Amino acid sequence: AQSVTQLDSHVSVSEGTPVLLRCNYSSSYSPSLFWYVQHPNKGLQLLLKYTSAATLVKGINGFEAEFKKSETSFHLTKPSAHMSDAAEYFCVVSETGGFKTIFGAGTRLFVKA
Amino acid sequence: EADIYQTPRYLVIGTGKKITLECSQTMGHDKMYWYQQDPGMELHLIHYSYGVNSTEKGDLSSESTVSRIRTEHFPLTLESARPSHTSQYLCASSEGRHNEQFFGPGTRLTVL
């Protein structure tokens, strides 16, 4: 069985400070992991993905995530937050080679000026 | 340019009307999905398709129906809309073994 838990429903940071959005997962299979971002009234945009290659994954807009199998985590980070980063972020786990895809409940990121 | 489209983007209708939400993708993906999302909430899978003439119900029970007659087209229909159907509907497609999904911009439906 698969599940994904986003540990924070809301995160607030000041502009220019680091961002950390936490995600833990469980999977009976070799997982593929994704982070998506959703701005208000928009669809979801892929930020980055882990598909069993390098464990440190770099994405768009300066975001990166590290796959840690021993901790079953896939936390999203960014060194310096920008106002435009304010959005909803979803962690997603998918069964590699299968069909099942599970979305986390989302973390809303607030960025203060 | 490969993309995924949804129309209309916004729809306000009265109770009892029949509506169809359109979704088309130009990427040639076999797998397509419909999700329902209330404001600020998580996504719930309501329908999916492995390919032409294949449709399945998702995790969240829905009174809507879907069809997949062509690879690129995956419309969702509500025979009789009710206020409880008010929500955002997101369409997505994917290909390959990792199931990376590409999303449309969504349709925000309001039923009065």
Side-chain angles (χ1 to χ4, degrees):
Chain A
Q2 291 176 294
S3 69
V4 57
T5 303
Q6 294 185 238
L7 298 168
D8 307 290
S9 59
H10 299 85
V11 170
S12 182
V13 301
S14 297
E15 191 174 23
T17 64
V19 175
L20 170 64
L21 305 184
R22 299 182 294 165
C23 173
N24 287 351
Y25 72 93
S26 67
S27 178
S28 304
Y29 308 94
S30 178
S32 297
L33 294 158
F34 308 87
W35 275 99
Y36 287 84
V37 61
Q38 184 181 33
H39 291 277
N41 298 315
K42 297 289 179 64
L44 277 68
Q45 179 186 16
L46 181 69
L47 274 179
L48 49 80
K49 61 184 177 183
Y50 166 78
T51 58
S52 76
T55 56
L56 181 62
V57 181
K58 293 188 185 298
I60 61 172
N61 300 334
F63 284 95
E64 63 181 39
E66 185 171 8
F67 173 69
K68 292 187 176 180
K69 187 175 181 179
S70 61
E71 299 176 11
T72 60
S73 69
F74 190 57
H75 301 335
L76 181 70
T77 61
K78 183 174 180 178
S80 177
H82 190 272
M83 295 297 288
S84 61
D85 295 328
E88 188 87 18
Y89 291 80
F90 292 94
C91 181
V92 180
V93 60
S94 178
E95 178 188 345
T96 302
F99 183 87
K100 194 71 172 175
T101 299
I102 305 294
F103 283 76
T107 297
R108 181 162 295 277
L109 175 65
F110 296 93
V111 182
K112 299 174 290 187
Chain B
E1 179 181 323
D3 213 335
I4 181 163
Y5 305 93
Q6 288 185 247
T7 57
R9 290 293 317 279
Y10 302 91
L11 179 62
V12 180
I13 61 166
T15 298
K17 299 290 187 184
K18 177 180 179 179
I19 61 166
T20 296
L21 307 185
E22 301 288 349
C23 176
S24 294
Q25 50 100 0
T26 60
M27 295 172 281
H29 290 168
D30 284 330
K31 301 173 190 173
M32 294 190 74
Y33 315 76
W34 275 104
Y35 294 90
Q36 185 173 340
Q37 183 188 31
D38 291 328
M41 303 295 286
E42 61 204 282
L43 278 72
H44 294 284
L45 181 67
I46 52 175
H47 298 283
Y48 60 96
S49 167
Y50 288 107
V52 172
N53 294 325
S54 150
T55 61
E56 302 285 345
K57 289 190 178 294
D59 302 322
L60 181 68
S61 175
S62 173
E63 293 164 345
S64 59
T65 59
V66 293
S67 63
R68 189 90 183 277
I69 299 172
R70 304 197 315 266
T71 297
E72 63 271 22
H73 194 213
F74 191 41
L76 181 146
T77 298
L78 277 166
E79 290 293 332
S80 180
R82 294 208 299 269
S84 60
H85 297 139
T86 294
S87 189
Q88 173 159 253
Y89 293 84
L90 291 165
C91 181
S93 69
S94 74
E95 192 59 271
R97 57 195 304 268
H98 300 293
N99 291 323
E100 175 185 341
Q101 296 189 23
F102 296 83
F103 284 82
T107 294
R108 184 164 296 281
L109 173 66
T110 302
V111 184
L112 303 175

